[in-house]
Amino acid sequence: MTDVLNEGVGHRLVPYPEGLALQARLHDEVVAGAAPDTLVLLEHEAVYTAGKRTEPSERPVGEAGGGTPVIDVDRGGKLTWHGPGQLVGYPIVRLPDPIDVVAYVRMLEQLLLDVVASLGVGAHRVEGRSGIWTTVDGLECKLGAIGIRVASGVTTHGFALNCSNALEPYDAIVACGIRDAGVTTLSEVLGRRVEPREVVEAVVSRFVSPREAAGGHPPISVGSGVAPALAVAS
């Protein structure tokens, strides 16, 4: 059974260090068998997060970024932004043996593709690049990003779906290390404001943990409130 923790989406912005601490605690509990697989949903305060492959030239320089903090993290991928208007999901889930990280990333991509399709947005994968994409005026634009870490067979980090967030923060960085593509939001694509809280139900109703997918689909319960590690790109 998968628990869902909604950390105040639409009502509270979670500081990034608090989100990291929550992930770490849940990860240890899932590894120890003291907690079930858990999906955390939240909105962060504005922050840039730099994955392991971030290059110095991709970081905001000087006044770029408007003073938004940059935090180095242990997930895969490069530099991205989190903040108000973006729905962030952290599945803290055990992967079945044999561990297939690529299959897990594809599962998260399919989740996001199904969610945005339910809102009437056509999105797709781009070969060689993770996340989900849509075409805006002939330019491939990232709509949802994915970056994960796996340690002791249990995942941390996850996905970020752009809903109503501002796009200006991306102007200060090379988002995900990709220089020949853009970034967009559900609101921009649909021509109406779509808040993260409006998307929560679509995510929760479609989320299935890898172990549930492998052995059936037990119901999701909704609440509020070390081996070599693998890191995969955003």
Side-chain angles (χ1 to χ4, degrees):
M1 184 159 91
T2 299
D3 278 354
V4 176
L5 294 181
N6 183 336
E7 292 292 305
V9 175
H11 303 286
R12 184 172 83 94
L13 299 178
V14 178
Y16 195 77
E18 180 182 328
L20 283 178
L22 176 59
Q23 289 186 73
R25 176 177 65 80
L26 288 171
H27 175 270
D28 290 348
E29 291 176 357
V30 173
V31 168
D37 289 346
T38 302
L39 172 64
V40 180
L41 297 173
L42 51 77
E43 285 179 83
H44 275 304
E45 293 180 348
V47 65
Y48 292 111
T49 66
K52 290 185 172 183
R53 296 191 301 112
T54 302
E55 302 290 339
S57 63
E58 296 162 355
R59 295 172 180 261
V61 177
E63 296 300 318
T68 300
V70 181
I71 298 179
D72 291 283
V73 293
D74 58 6
R75 62 162 171 79
K78 296 201 173 191
L79 188 69
T80 193
W81 175 88
H82 297 307
Q86 183 188 71
L87 180 64
V88 174
Y90 294 135
I92 315 299
V93 298
R94 182 178 295 281
L95 299 183
D97 290 324
I99 290 175
D100 188 338
V101 176
V102 173
Y104 173 61
V105 171
R106 297 293 172 259
M107 177 180 290
L108 293 182
E109 288 173 344
Q110 191 60 55
L111 168 69
L112 296 183
L113 290 171
D114 291 344
V115 167
V116 302
S118 73
L119 298 171
V121 174
H124 51 266
R125 295 180 174 94
V126 171
E127 186 175 356
R129 294 175 174 178
S130 65
I132 67 166
W133 302 75
T134 191
T135 306
V136 179
D137 297 329
L139 179 68
E140 292 289 10
C141 293
K142 181 169 274 191
L143 186 59
I146 294 172
I148 70 165
R149 183 174 187 264
V150 182
S152 301
V154 175
T155 66
T156 51
H157 302 285
F159 61 85
L161 182 61
N162 293 338
C163 298
S164 59
N165 50 284
L167 295 176
E168 288 80 6
Y170 294 100
D171 293 338
I173 63 172
V174 180
C176 302
I178 298 171
R179 299 178 186 272
D180 61 348
V183 183
T184 191
T185 67
L186 289 172
S187 296
E188 184 177 66
V189 172
L190 289 171
R192 63 177 178 85
R193 193 165 181 84
V194 180
E195 299 289 356
R197 65 177 179 271
E198 300 174 55
V199 186
V200 166
E201 183 178 353
V203 171
V204 171
S205 66
R206 289 166 174 79
F207 181 81
V208 178
S209 78
R211 284 192 292 177
E212 291 168 352
H217 295 192
I220 290 177
S221 68
V222 180
S224 58
V226 163
L230 300 173
V232 176
S234 63

